[in-house]
């Protein structure tokens, strides 16, 4: 069924004003969503000793959390479609806080899987989807910039959480740290409070019931939303797969994600292998994160400009090509200075891709179908993300580079195809 | 009269004979007999002096007969003879002065040491006159991963303190645990429902149940080898649950205050807007339709071609 939305985007998005507060809220929300699974790894050694578990059992905590966060996408998109972003982000924040607080009392590893992994993952998935959706409602002209600023939350929070976790661990042990981390995650509720709902007045199209209502912009109206957005009833709207641009985007993304996280996992070990000392090797990832922090809003700014915005899909492909080329060059680098340069370039490439990854999906699918599309994309991305780093370990660098090369080639192709397809339809 | 003299001579003669007999029987100042010892393994360690003060670390597990050899290339003027001697822990070893001659432009100093117990371990230095020194630090295998941060746990809870010897080093014969400080160490024995010690080759775990504030402090795990032992400190900190609870409650209050503030601000804003709107309702409709028109042109939010 080709989704013809009952309501077109019949209003001009704010593109500023309260929108920037919404971006700030999304920044916090997305920041926690992406950085928490990584930042928790600081506690693993302590938890492992206390609960007498093996290292692989402990590593499952992060994997379960990431898996649930991504797999919860479709559910999250349905809820966001029905209730709007604000209640969902507040609920997500509460779930995350509760998950960490209950995990701090844990006595067995299964209990921690359930608390942090399942409940925490659910909370984060609600956060992620809702934050992205509300940005698409508040911004249009400056949407790439808003997306870049919001996605910058991930490196900023990682940079901030990592030393904080070390300090908390030394002062309060892992139980107290999880308790305090739970409290910090309740700040997602503050982020949710900032996400004032936007009412989309319905522009009646032929055949749909007329419901032109003028409301005060701040009073939420659930009935209006239900009539406007009919697609939200389906969990997994498989009609997306008929959209060629979407399919190409999905395949390209899967290939990219398969290879993207492996260099992060293996970079310190590779550097130590090349003779760099351990402290400097760990520092490489910090350099990458620091560069990432500034590149994401910068990319958003560039993508919002008059020259790039119409060709944003090409810009996205360029970012992926850049990323892949960076990794292809990596085996040739063996001195400390060159590896630092690689870390900087990697940060730039990674930041560029992630600043644009959701913006391009918004651009491709439009406001109405974006929530369901992003749910579908995240649940499918779940698999390459979990399989990527372990698979890259096997024939080491070959697979992750192969993944990158494939992504690169696919992404050069798809803007042409997607463009062609849309121009035929329109 | 001659019979008494004969008797006297005979007694003196007997006395002399018995004295000599005693003499031969008493051990006298001979060296104490060595207890029967299994033949010591021999090891040779050598170091070449490269122009800087040099330190070599040697880890020993069993008694050995260790030969330490130092080679020095000399400095600018190479005297044909130089006095070499050995130090242990800064004190000169007796009778260790040797005149060393130049061989192929180098000075060689070699000595064999019997390392059988803890006292024999330490810092051995070979000295070339007053100019060059190579230190050999002899110890039992050291525990490499020393934990600098304290183990933090809560009252009433249990905790596990772990000590690990690297598996590349020899396996300790036994592990012991102590608590105390630098001056006094009290041994810890396994007690039911209080302490539990689990030794598994290269690792040892001390599990302490029902923690209380008095349990805070330094704990030492000791790896025992045939020749000596090594200790490693671990600090335990026991805190009440109230301590992390305080920042948590502070953050909770901050979240509630911020959420309330944002929602109240929004309500006041909407009240202001509604007061303004009732006066300008007609204008509002106009702007909306205008917005729709421009919206249908290019802001379908997809494929932004015209910005």
């Amino acid at each position: 069924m080709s989704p013809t939305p009952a309501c077109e985007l019949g209003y001009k998005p704010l593109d500023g004003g309260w929108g920037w507060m919404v971006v700030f809220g999304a920044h916090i929300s997305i920041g926690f969503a992406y950085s928490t699974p990584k930042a928790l790894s600081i506690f693993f050694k302590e938890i492992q000793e206390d609960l007498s578990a093996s290292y692989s059992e402990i590593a499952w905590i992060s994997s379960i959390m990431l898996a649930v966060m991504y797999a919860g996408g479709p559910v999250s998109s349905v809820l966001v479609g029905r209730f709007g972003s604000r209640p969902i982000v507040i609920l997500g924040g509460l779930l995350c806080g509760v998950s960490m607080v209950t995990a701090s009392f844990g006595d067995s590893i299964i209990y921690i899987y359930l608390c942090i992994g399942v409940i925490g993952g659910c909370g984060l998935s609600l956060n992620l989807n809702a934050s992205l959706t509300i940005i698409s409602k508040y911004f249009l002209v400056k949407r790439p910039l808003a997306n870049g600023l919001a996605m910058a939350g991930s490196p900023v929070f990682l940079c901030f959480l990592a030393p904080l976790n070390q300090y908390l661990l030394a002062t309060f042990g892992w139980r107290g740290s999880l308790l305090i981390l739970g409290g910090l995650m309740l700040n997602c509720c503050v982020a949710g409070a900032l996400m004032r709902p936007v009412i989309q007045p319905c522009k009646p199209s032929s055949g749909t019931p007329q419901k032109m209502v003028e409301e005060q912009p701040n009073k939420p109206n659930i009935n209006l939303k239900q009539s406007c957005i009919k697609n939200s009833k389906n969990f997994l709207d498989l009609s997306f797969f008929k959209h060629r641009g979407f399919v190409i985007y999905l395949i390209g993304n899967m290939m990219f994600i398969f290879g993207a996280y492996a260099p992060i996992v293996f970079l310190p070990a590779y550097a130590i292998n090349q003779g760099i000392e351990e402290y400097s090797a760990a520092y490489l990832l910090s350099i990458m994160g620091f560069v990432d922090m500034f590149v994401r809003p910068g990319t958003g700014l560039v993508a919002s400009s008059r020259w790039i915005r119409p060709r944003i899909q090409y810009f996205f492909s360029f970012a992926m090509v850049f990323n892949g080329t960076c990794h292809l060059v990596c085996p040739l680098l063996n001195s400390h200075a060159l590896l630092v340069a690689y870390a900087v370039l990697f940060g730039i490439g990674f930041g560029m891709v992630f600043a644009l990854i959701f913006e391009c999906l918004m651009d491709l699918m439009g406001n109405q179908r974006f929530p369901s599309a992003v749910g579908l994309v995240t649940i499918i991305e779940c698999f390459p993300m979990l399989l990527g780093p372990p698979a890259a370990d096997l024939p080491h660098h070959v697979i992750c580079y192969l993944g990158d090369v494939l992504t690169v080639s696919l992404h050069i192709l798809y803007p042409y195809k997607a463009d062609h397809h849309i121009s035929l339809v329109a | 009269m001659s019979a008494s003299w004969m008797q006297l001579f005979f007694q003196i003669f007997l006395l002399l004979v018995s004295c000599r007999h005693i003499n031969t029987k008493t051990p006298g100042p001979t060296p104490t007999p060595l207890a029967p010892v299994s033949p010591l393994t021999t090891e040779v360690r050598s170091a070449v002096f490269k122009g800087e003060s040099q330190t070599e670390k040697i880890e020993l597990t069993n008694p050995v007969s260790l030969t330490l050899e130092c080679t020095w290339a000399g400095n600018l003027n190479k005297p044909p003879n130089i006095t070499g001697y050995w130090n242990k822990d800064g004190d000169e070893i007796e009778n260790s002065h040797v005149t060393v001659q130049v061989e192929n432009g180098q000075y060689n100093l070699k000595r064999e040491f019997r390392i059988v117990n803890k006292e024999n371990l330490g810092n051995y230095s070979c000295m070339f006159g007053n100019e060059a020194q190579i230190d050999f630090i002899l110890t039992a295998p050291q525990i490499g991963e020393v934990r600098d941060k304290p183990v933090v746990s809560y009252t009433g809870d249990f905790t596990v303190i772990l000590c690990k010897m690297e598996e590349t080093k020899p396996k300790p014969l036994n592990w012991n645990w102590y608590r105390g400080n630098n001056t006094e160490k009290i041994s810890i024995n396994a007690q039911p429902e209080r302490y539990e010690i689990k030794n598994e080759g290269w690792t040892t775990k001390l599990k302490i149940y029902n923690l209380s504030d008095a349990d805070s402090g330094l704990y030492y795990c000791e790896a025992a080898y045939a020749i000596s032992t090594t200790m490693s400190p671990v600090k335990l900190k026991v805190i009440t649950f109230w301590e992390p609870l305080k920042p948590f409650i502070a953050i909770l209050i901050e979240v509630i205050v911020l959420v309330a503030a944002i929602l109240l601000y929004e309500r006041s804003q909407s009240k202001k807007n509604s007061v303004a709107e009732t006066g300008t309702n007609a204008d509002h409709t106009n702007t909306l339709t205008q917005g729709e028109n421009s919206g249908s042109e290019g802001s379908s939010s997809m494929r932004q071609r015209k910005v």
Side-chain angles (χ1 to χ4, degrees):
Chain A
M1 131 191 146
S2 67
T4 43
C7 306
E8 274 297 335
L9 190 63
Y11 70 103
K12 201 166 185 324
L14 213 51
D15 264 313
W18 189 253
W20 298 117
M21 296 303 287
V22 171
V23 168
F24 181 62
H27 180 97
I28 296 175
S29 184
I30 293 177
F32 273 120
Y34 279 112
S35 61
T36 308
K38 297 173 201 162
L40 280 180
S41 59
I42 293 173
F43 300 135
F44 284 171
K45 197 159 177 236
E46 289 261 336
I47 301 179
Q48 192 184 337
E49 283 173 13
D50 251 3
L51 300 182
S52 313
S54 70
Y55 180 73
S56 57
E57 280 176 351
I58 293 286
W60 271 104
I61 298 177
S62 267
S63 305
I64 293 179
M65 195 178 201
L66 275 170
V68 174
M69 176 172 117
Y70 272 66
V75 176
S76 174
S77 40
V78 168
L79 290 173
V80 167
R82 201 175 143 84
F83 298 109
S85 289
R86 174 184 266 173
I88 299 303
V89 176
I90 293 181
L91 177 66
L94 281 172
L95 275 179
C96 290
V98 161
S99 77
M100 292 291 168
V101 168
T102 49
S104 72
F105 295 103
D107 270 334
S108 79
I109 193 77
I110 306 286
Y111 181 83
I112 297 209
Y113 286 160
L114 283 173
C115 290
I116 298 183
V118 177
I119 303 179
C122 284
L124 292 181
S125 86
L126 294 176
N127 276 359
L128 185 64
N129 204 318
S131 312
L132 293 169
T133 309
I134 194 118
I135 291 177
S136 68
K137 296 212 172 101
Y138 266 87
F139 285 88
L140 187 58
V141 174
K142 294 194 188 137
R143 200 174 58 195
L145 177 61
N147 265 314
L149 282 169
M151 294 295 283
S154 170
V156 164
F157 271 71
L158 191 60
C159 210
F160 161 72
L161 274 182
L164 179 71
N165 277 0
Q166 297 269 15
Y167 168 74
L168 287 176
L169 189 63
T171 319
F172 300 112
W174 66 272
R175 291 185 196 271
S177 305
L178 282 179
L179 187 69
I180 294 178
L181 210 60
L184 286 174
M185 292 190 90
L186 285 177
N187 280 305
C188 288
C189 297
V190 176
L194 286 170
M195 295 178 183
R196 224 181 260 180
V198 171
I199 297 306
Q200 306 175 38
C202 247
K203 190 174 90 169
S205 43
S206 58
T208 56
Q210 308 251 340
K211 267 207 178 179
M212 179 81 119
V213 184
E214 280 149 20
E215 304 268 344
Q216 295 167 11
N218 298 329
K219 194 173 148 198
N221 191 326
I222 294 174
N223 291 332
L224 191 60
K225 278 202 161 77
Q226 279 180 342
S227 70
C228 281
I229 303 169
K230 284 183 180 171
N231 297 340
S232 61
K233 281 185 189 155
N234 296 335
F235 258 142
L236 291 169
D237 190 2
L238 295 175
S239 70
F240 281 123
F241 289 104
K242 290 188 195 149
H243 189 298
R244 185 152 61 173
F246 179 78
V247 172
I248 296 177
Y249 174 89
L250 196 62
I251 295 175
N253 258 25
M254 276 177 69
M255 301 259 86
F256 174 76
I257 300 254
F258 193 67
Y261 288 101
I264 298 180
V265 173
F266 293 116
L267 184 61
Y270 177 71
I272 292 173
N273 207 358
Q274 297 293 313
I276 315 282
E277 57 159 1
E278 209 173 310
Y279 182 72
S280 307
Y283 208 50
L284 286 174
L285 281 181
S286 317
I287 295 175
M288 191 214 121
F290 191 71
V291 169
D292 196 5
M293 219 189 293
F294 294 102
V295 164
R296 290 194 194 196
T299 310
L301 194 63
V302 166
S304 294
S305 69
R306 209 157 37 100
W307 303 278
I308 306 280
R309 186 72 192 276
R311 303 173 195 96
I312 202 169
Q313 308 287 353
Y314 296 98
F315 190 45
F316 186 40
S317 326
F318 164 72
M320 287 214 178
V321 171
F322 182 79
N323 213 344
T325 320
C326 205
H327 297 325
L328 284 173
V329 170
C330 182
L332 305 171
L333 308 171
N334 48 18
S335 82
H336 185 235
L338 285 176
L339 278 174
V340 168
Y342 166 72
V344 169
L345 289 174
F346 182 19
I348 293 176
F350 201 71
M352 273 171 35
V353 171
F354 271 88
L356 296 171
I357 203 167
F358 289 115
E359 167 58 32
C360 284
L361 188 60
M362 283 182 203
D363 192 59
L364 209 55
M365 304 309 295
N367 256 23
Q368 303 301 325
R369 295 198 289 166
F370 175 72
S372 331
V374 79
L376 201 57
V377 164
T378 51
I379 194 173
I380 293 177
E381 272 177 10
C382 194
F383 301 102
M385 199 183 53
L386 290 175
L387 295 175
D393 196 20
L394 297 168
H396 262 285
H397 308 287
V398 175
I399 285 192
C400 72
Y401 293 141
L402 203 61
D404 277 327
V405 168
L406 277 172
T407 311
V408 155
S409 46
L410 215 59
H411 271 258
I412 293 174
L413 292 174
Y414 102 78
Y416 292 103
K417 298 233 160 174
D419 252 355
H420 188 63
H421 174 73
I422 294 298
S423 61
L424 285 178
V425 168
Chain B
M1 194 69 124
S2 60
S4 64
W5 277 111
M6 282 299 287
Q7 240 180 346
L8 189 63
F9 277 128
F10 189 64
Q11 276 170 358
I12 292 171
F13 177 70
L14 277 174
L15 201 61
L16 284 171
V17 167
S18 61
C19 274
R20 204 194 277 169
H21 192 60
I22 293 167
N23 264 339
T24 51
K25 271 193 179 166
T26 356
T30 53
T32 50
L34 294 169
V37 157
S38 53
L40 291 178
T41 48
T42 46
E43 267 190 57
V44 178
R45 295 293 170 102
S46 53
V48 178
F49 190 69
K50 291 194 187 96
E52 300 154 5
S53 157
Q54 203 164 315
T55 310
E56 299 275 320
K57 289 198 182 134
I58 302 175
E59 289 181 348
L60 304 165
T61 47
N62 295 313
V64 289
S65 165
L66 186 67
T67 306
L68 296 174
E69 187 179 336
C70 301
T71 309
W72 182 42
N75 49 18
L76 287 171
N77 54 333
K78 287 190 190 181
N81 289 330
I82 196 168
T83 317
Y85 61 98
W86 291 87
N87 271 358
K88 182 183 182 303
D89 297 325
D91 300 321
E92 209 177 295
I93 299 175
E94 292 173 6
N95 306 328
S96 63
H97 278 258
V98 170
T99 310
V100 182
Q101 296 184 332
V102 179
E103 279 170 67
N104 300 330
Q106 289 178 330
Y107 300 95
N108 266 320
L109 193 58
K110 192 163 42 169
R111 192 182 169 95
E112 188 184 329
F113 298 94
R114 291 175 59 87
I115 314 289
V116 292
N117 55 24
K118 208 171 186 172
E119 281 80 38
N120 297 134
L121 295 172
N123 187 351
Y124 287 84
S125 314
C126 64
M127 321 282 287
F128 291 98
N130 285 331
E131 300 176 38
Q133 177 178 344
I134 301 179
D135 295 324
F136 293 91
I137 301 182
L138 272 56
T139 53
Q142 299 290 306
I143 296 173
E145 297 171 32
V146 178
R147 209 200 152 101
D148 50 351
K149 297 203 179 90
V151 175
V152 182
S153 199
Y154 294 89
T155 52
D157 198 7
F158 68 90
T159 187
V160 174
I161 309 179
L162 179 76
C163 247
K164 204 165 75 160
M165 173 67 76
E166 286 100 344
E167 294 198 7
T168 49
K169 297 192 183 170
K171 193 158 87 163
L173 293 175
N174 200 5
W175 287 96
N176 296 313
W177 283 92
Y178 301 90
R179 68 165 299 194
N181 47 26
N182 267 336
T183 47
E184 195 191 303
K185 292 185 177 65
I186 309 165
S187 171
I188 299 177
N189 299 314
Q191 294 166 25
E193 293 307 312
R194 188 77 179 106
Y195 296 114
E196 192 185 299
I197 299 179
K198 224 189 278 186
N199 297 334
E200 281 156 10
W202 279 271
T203 61
T204 181
K205 291 185 192 159
L206 173 67
K207 194 164 178 180
I208 312 178
Y209 292 94
N210 207 5
L211 286 166
S212 66
D213 205 30
D215 289 321
S216 296
L218 270 175
Y219 286 77
Y220 294 89
C221 62
E222 183 187 63
Y225 289 96
I227 195 167
S228 179
T229 60
T230 51
M231 278 215 208
S232 175
V234 179
K235 189 155 186 274
L236 177 67
K237 195 164 102 168
V238 181
I239 54 179
T240 59
F241 211 75
W242 186 237
E243 286 200 30
L245 207 59
K246 281 186 280 194
F248 175 72
I249 292 180
I251 297 172
L252 197 62
I253 293 174
E254 169 248 328
V255 166
I256 295 174
V257 163
L258 280 176
V259 171
I262 292 169
L263 292 176
L264 283 172
Y265 174 73
E266 199 176 303
R267 195 150 296 170
S268 73
Q269 281 272 301
S270 74
K271 281 198 187 124
K272 265 193 231 166
N273 282 345
S274 70
V275 167
E277 266 175 23
T278 47
T280 58
N281 221 351
D283 289 347
H284 191 205
T285 328
N286 282 339
T287 47
L288 204 63
T289 43
Q290 271 174 22
E292 284 165 8
N293 285 337
S294 60
S296 57
E297 262 178 17
S299 68
S300 67
S301 83
M302 284 171 66
R303 312 322 304 263
Q304 282 292 298
R305 289 292 170 267
K306 300 170 195 168
V307 179

